[in-house]
Amino acid sequence: MFVSRNIGMKHFLILALLVFSFSCGKSSGGDGLERSVDVLSANQYFEAMNNHRVSLGLRPLTYSVVIEEQAGEHATNMARGLTPFGHFGMSFRCNNIQVSLGSSACGEIVAKGQETAGSVLSSWLSSSSHKAEIENPNWTHTGIAVEKSFLGTPYWTQIFIRID
């Protein structure tokens, strides 16, 4: 009897440790999903991206929490393997943003594996299609999210919109 209690207690402690470890460093996105938020990286990226736009004579983008929530849900789903890496569901995200903010256009870029704000910006600017989104003079607002998978791989999503 002592052995079975000991094993039961061992399993309980392991379970408690797992629950605790998955709850640390998490933030609710307001959508019922719990996701780890690398706010510093997203803020650093936003600042660097806007500095790049301004250096080209473009207006800086306005940050939107509404857009960030949609980007965050997508980054979370990719990091958890619930959605394949890419733009699956983009029209749904853009429609949600349009309903909330009245946007007239929407674009999205994603990245996987870049550890820092500087590395993701450099990667996106090295790709003609991603660079075109970042440098699009028609965009007025954006939201950015980065989520790490259970293995620590960062998944980035940036959504752009135009509000007339």
Side-chain angles (χ1 to χ4, degrees):
M1 196 69 162
F2 177 74
V3 174
S4 66
R5 283 186 192 171
N6 201 10
I7 292 173
M9 181 59 82
K10 183 177 178 181
H11 284 106
F12 172 77
L13 290 174
I14 290 171
L15 180 61
L17 181 61
L18 285 172
V19 169
F20 177 75
S21 68
F22 287 123
S23 66
C24 290
K26 301 284 182 181
S27 170
S28 176
D31 53 9
L33 292 175
E34 294 289 319
R35 57 179 162 261
S36 60
V37 179
D38 191 340
V39 174
L40 181 59
S41 290
N43 287 343
Q44 289 172 337
Y45 171 79
F46 177 69
E47 184 177 339
M49 180 268 313
N50 262 341
N51 287 340
H52 173 76
R53 286 178 58 87
V54 169
S55 76
L56 299 174
L58 300 169
R59 70 175 163 241
L61 299 178
T62 301
Y63 200 81
S64 167
V65 175
V66 170
I67 302 171
E68 177 191 337
E69 288 174 358
Q70 292 296 313
E73 185 174 338
H74 185 53
T76 298
N77 288 339
M78 289 189 298
R80 292 184 180 174
L82 301 174
T83 299
F85 175 72
H87 301 286
F88 182 81
M90 180 181 160
S91 60
F92 177 76
R93 287 185 292 283
C94 289
N95 185 58
N96 286 343
I97 293 167
Q98 181 184 24
V99 168
S100 295
L101 300 177
S103 58
S104 60
C106 182
E108 175 181 88
I109 55 179
V110 296
K112 173 184 166 185
Q114 293 80 357
E115 294 288 338
T116 66
S119 65
V120 77
L121 181 59
S122 177
S123 176
W124 278 335
L125 291 176
S126 297
S127 161
S128 60
S129 61
H130 294 89
K131 182 177 181 176
E133 292 292 351
I134 291 170
E135 296 177 356
N136 185 332
N138 296 316
W139 298 137
T140 60
H141 293 72
T142 194
I144 303 140
V146 58
E147 168 70 26
K148 289 190 176 181
S149 71
F150 292 119
L151 297 176
T153 304
Y155 287 78
W156 296 78
T157 301
Q158 181 174 13
I159 299 174
F160 306 87
I161 65 164
R162 174 178 182 82
I163 297 177
D164 297 317

